[in-house]
Amino acid sequence: MNTHFVNKRVAHLLGYAGLIPFVLLMLGCWLAHPDWLGDFIKGQLAYGIAILSFLGGVHWGAVMVSSDLTMEQTRKGLVWGILPALIAWSSTLMGGFGFAVLMAGLIGAYQADKRMSVWYGMPEWFLPLRLKLTCIVVASLVLTVIAANVRG
């Protein structure tokens, strides 16, 4: 069996499955009783923080298995690897702007992936998948913020 095909298939399945909490929490903000709104918003922010932190970890893993990186590329990959977690954490300190910080971090993570995935020799399907996932996540976060303002 072609392991590249299996890896692509599993990565796509897990990537899209990872969208389920974003979409369900966003729908909960629109459909559930307003008394539950705060819980859905907190859940959405917490899950976004976890995912943004995970995206930084991808770079640490890629640096560890990439043997052809320059010292500068290695340093940039490792430094970037911790920045998403710091951005995610800082979103908890921003009050009403926490979702904006989180969205900016997710978009920034995609931009970093665009630049650095070439260094790591990522497969050709990686960036299109990341773009789709990022767009759906950011849209879910935007709709959560709108729901919080309309319903809260």
Side-chain angles (χ1 to χ4, degrees):
M1 173 156 290
N2 181 344
T3 57
H4 177 70
F5 173 75
V6 172
N7 291 345
K8 176 181 176 182
R9 184 170 181 217
V10 171
H12 278 75
L13 287 171
L14 292 174
Y16 288 117
L19 295 174
I20 294 169
F22 283 112
V23 173
L24 290 179
L25 289 163
M26 178 271 299
L27 289 173
C29 288
W30 284 101
L31 302 174
H33 191 276
D35 290 347
W36 289 87
L37 187 58
D39 293 323
F40 284 107
I41 291 168
K42 286 178 192 172
Q44 188 75 295
L45 187 63
Y47 188 62
I49 288 168
I51 294 300
L52 181 54
S53 296
F54 167 81
L55 292 174
V58 169
H59 289 269
W60 268 67
V63 166
M64 295 300 158
V65 299
S66 297
S67 59
D68 296 330
L69 297 177
T70 66
M71 204 56 157
E72 181 69 10
Q73 290 170 327
T74 299
R75 186 186 62 76
K76 286 181 179 180
L78 291 174
V79 168
W80 172 254
I82 62 166
L83 288 178
L86 293 173
I87 294 167
W89 168 75
S90 72
S91 72
T92 66
L93 306 173
M94 299 298 170
F97 295 103
F99 274 86
V101 170
L102 191 58
M103 286 182 262
L106 289 159
I107 293 167
Y110 171 72
Q111 294 301 321
D113 286 353
K114 273 180 34 178
R115 180 174 178 192
M116 295 182 201
S117 65
V118 175
W119 301 348
Y120 308 140
M122 294 292 202
E124 81 288 339
W125 52 262
F126 176 73
L127 285 176
L129 175 63
R130 281 283 291 115
L131 178 60
K132 289 173 192 165
L133 296 175
T134 299
C135 289
I136 294 169
V137 167
V138 170
S140 294
L141 294 174
V142 166
L143 290 169
T144 297
V145 170
I146 293 170
N149 286 289
V150 168
R151 300 194 72 222

